[in-house]
Amino acid sequence: MRRPELDNILQTMLDSRPEVSDLLFTVDKPLQVESFGELKTVDFDPALPRLTPYQTEMIALNLIGENQWHIEDLLRHGSCDAAYTLVDKARFRINIFSQRGNYSIVARKLNTEIPTLDSLKFPDIIKHLPREKTGLILVTGATGSGKSTTLAAVLSEINRTKPVHVITLEDPVEFVHPHHMATFNQREQGTDFDTFANGLRAALRQAPKVILVGEMRDRETVKIALSAAETGHLVLSTLHTIDAGQTINRVLGMFETEEQEQIRARLADTLRWIVSQRLVPKIGGGRFPMLEIMGSNLRTQETIRLGESEGKSFYEIIEASQSFGWRTFDYSALEAFEQGKITEETAQMFCSKRGPVTRGIDNIKKGRGESTSDISSLRMKSFQETVRGQDKPVMGTLKLK
């Protein structure tokens, strides 16, 4: 297979559906794309009803190209990450992995246009993130929830407003930032460094003010990131966690029990923000980002040091600080429902606590004058109807004196 043939396949897949986010190549399945969160089959000429092992392997090798690092990684560990550019059209983050002796490929389409915080239409509290000078900022969520897009928007704001040196460690580089006020050096794993821990350790000697770490994957990376945050750097990174509380627990869980007390103290001092994201179906098509946002105050620092307890959970701390712009997923769900962006079912499905959200939805519907129940035309039975419904006369069961 030659590159023009591969590019033609990728272009056909991109054009097959609106809002394509991922391209999938799997043995015994046709070409597939993910559109609005659902897998769709791609019609191709000549027809490809089922991909063969040979076809997926040829596509994989062409996507990797001549990068010996990725080939060795694939053979040694069973998977590898790479990047591929469809000239003047799109860039992809590629993951190639072995399954049942065959190769499968998932190509995530990357946005080539760098977003801004205003274009994302996030709450104004998000604009506090690029204003931080030191500390640790974590953006969390499932794969495909928009973490990289949010971080790119934060870096874009730093680029626009601060004359600082920014180093990014990515796997692979997703958004290519031009030099504006800031100076960017973007390094890619497998090409410019081998592991995030080694890349981060080297970054401390490269005089940055801002460091982006693509993902906190292991204990060593977290340790070095905390050290960087403690020594006057602003460190941004991601974790695959669903909310603020789980994020803290995931970081602590990377360490042995005897280390956790010290890590709690360091994390309490350095953590500035946790932004968790969930992409949910939007009314009229597309997806809408629901956010949970937790900052740092005396209550969060104390809870990180001592652990959650009754009345001192991270959920309750965020809820108590909603007047400062913090928000839980439940608040975001109710706000999106009230604004007509998501349905009642979506709000209940993607919230954290269904009970409070259901009551909140009922209050919103009451305020609109809508019914809050499917049950209608209720009335009380008369005494005569009750008597007629008995097997025996009611009076027969009474003892009269």
Side-chain angles (χ1 to χ4, degrees):
M1 178 182 288
R2 293 170 296 178
R3 177 160 183 152
E5 295 171 328
L6 176 59
D7 288 355
N8 179 48
I9 292 173
L10 298 177
Q11 187 64 59
T12 302
M13 296 176 75
L14 284 178
D15 295 340
S16 65
R17 302 280 179 173
E19 297 296 326
V20 170
S21 61
D22 295 275
L23 316 182
L24 279 77
F25 304 83
T26 303
V27 173
D28 290 334
K29 293 288 288 186
L31 298 174
Q32 294 177 297
V33 298
E34 184 173 315
S35 173
F36 296 127
E38 295 184 355
L39 287 181
K40 306 289 185 181
T41 298
V42 176
D43 295 325
F44 195 78
D45 186 21
L48 289 172
R50 296 170 62 185
L51 289 170
T52 66
Y54 176 78
Q55 288 171 328
T56 58
E57 185 173 343
M58 286 300 99
I59 292 171
L61 291 175
N62 275 272
L63 289 170
I64 291 174
E66 298 179 357
N67 191 309
Q68 293 299 317
W69 169 275
H70 294 322
I71 294 174
E72 185 177 339
D73 206 24
L74 178 61
L75 295 175
R76 180 174 297 176
H77 300 114
S79 68
C80 73
D81 294 302
Y84 189 85
T85 301
L86 190 59
V87 180
D88 298 329
K89 298 291 183 181
R91 293 184 71 248
F92 299 94
R93 183 180 66 202
I94 309 293
N95 185 268
I96 302 166
F97 56 97
S98 175
Q99 59 94 21
R100 294 189 299 162
N102 301 318
Y103 289 118
S104 289
I105 306 158
V106 177
R108 165 65 51 83
K109 182 188 175 186
L110 305 176
N111 291 321
T112 54
E113 182 179 350
I114 299 173
T116 64
L117 292 175
D118 290 331
S119 69
L120 295 178
K121 298 180 180 178
F122 282 170
D124 288 340
I125 190 72
I126 290 289
K127 294 181 180 178
H128 286 72
L129 273 64
R131 297 173 191 165
E132 298 288 350
K133 295 187 180 299
T134 63
L136 180 64
I137 295 174
L138 297 175
V139 179
T140 78
T143 300
S145 59
K147 301 184 294 296
S148 298
T149 302
T150 299
L151 285 173
V154 172
L155 289 178
S156 176
E157 183 66 16
I158 291 173
N159 195 11
R160 190 181 66 85
T161 58
K162 295 182 179 181
V164 295
H165 181 202
V166 181
I167 288 206
T168 73
L169 307 171
E170 302 175 70
D171 183 24
V173 171
E174 298 192 20
F175 295 89
V176 179
H177 293 267
H179 303 295
H180 292 311
M181 286 195 71
T183 297
F184 271 79
N185 280 297
Q186 297 184 253
R187 308 184 69 204
E188 186 170 299
Q189 187 178 32
T191 302
D192 305 307
F193 64 94
D194 54 357
T195 66
F196 279 117
N198 288 338
L200 184 52
R201 190 179 291 108
L204 297 179
R205 299 190 294 271
Q206 293 158 3
K209 289 292 187 289
V210 180
I211 304 172
L212 170 69
V213 183
E215 185 181 343
M216 296 282 199
R217 292 181 177 174
D218 52 56
R219 178 172 62 179
E220 189 176 5
T221 303
V222 173
K223 271 189 172 181
I224 302 170
L226 288 174
S227 297
E230 289 168 337
T231 54
H233 302 85
L234 178 62
V235 181
L236 303 96
S237 190
T238 69
L239 276 171
H240 289 90
T241 52
I242 61 173
D243 57 28
Q246 192 186 88
T247 300
I248 300 297
N249 294 331
R250 174 67 63 82
V251 172
L252 295 172
M254 294 181 184
F255 297 87
E256 301 296 333
T257 305
E258 57 271 16
E259 298 178 281
Q260 289 188 6
E261 184 176 351
Q262 181 188 26
I263 297 300
R264 282 183 181 275
R266 297 176 67 187
L267 191 59
D269 290 337
T270 57
L271 184 66
R272 298 292 180 264
W273 297 94
I274 295 177
V275 179
S276 299
Q277 303 186 181
R278 296 175 185 172
L279 280 183
V280 305
K282 187 178 180 181
I283 292 175
R287 290 186 288 179
F288 173 78
M290 278 179 17
L291 302 180
E292 178 175 278
I293 303 172
M294 184 180 81
S296 177
N297 60 18
L298 291 176
R299 288 189 68 191
T300 56
Q301 291 171 15
E302 180 187 14
T303 305
I304 291 172
R305 284 191 173 95
L306 302 178
E308 293 180 286
S309 59
E310 185 69 29
K312 289 186 178 180
S313 69
F314 291 110
Y315 181 95
E316 291 165 320
I317 292 171
I318 297 170
E319 203 171 35
S321 299
Q322 284 177 180
S323 59
F324 298 103
W326 300 14
R327 54 178 54 211
T328 62
F329 277 122
D330 295 348
Y331 180 93
S332 295
L334 288 173
E335 182 184 61
F337 173 74
E338 187 172 21
Q339 294 173 354
K341 294 178 179 177
I342 63 175
T343 64
E344 177 179 347
E345 292 74 18
T346 299
Q348 292 175 333
M349 185 181 301
F350 289 93
C351 66
S352 296
K353 297 186 177 181
R354 183 167 292 189
V357 169
T358 300
R359 291 193 293 272
I361 289 173
D362 287 346
N363 290 332
I364 292 171
K365 292 168 76 174
K366 285 177 184 176
R368 295 173 179 171
E370 300 175 7
S371 172
T372 59
S373 174
D374 294 333
I375 303 174
S376 59
S377 302
L378 290 177
R379 66 184 182 87
M380 293 185 65
K381 284 186 176 182
S382 67
F383 178 74
Q384 289 77 10
E385 289 174 317
T386 303
V387 171
R388 286 197 297 270
Q390 301 292 325
D391 292 335
K392 296 180 180 180
V394 174
M395 295 301 293
T397 63
L398 299 179
K399 292 182 179 179
L400 297 178
K401 294 183 179 179

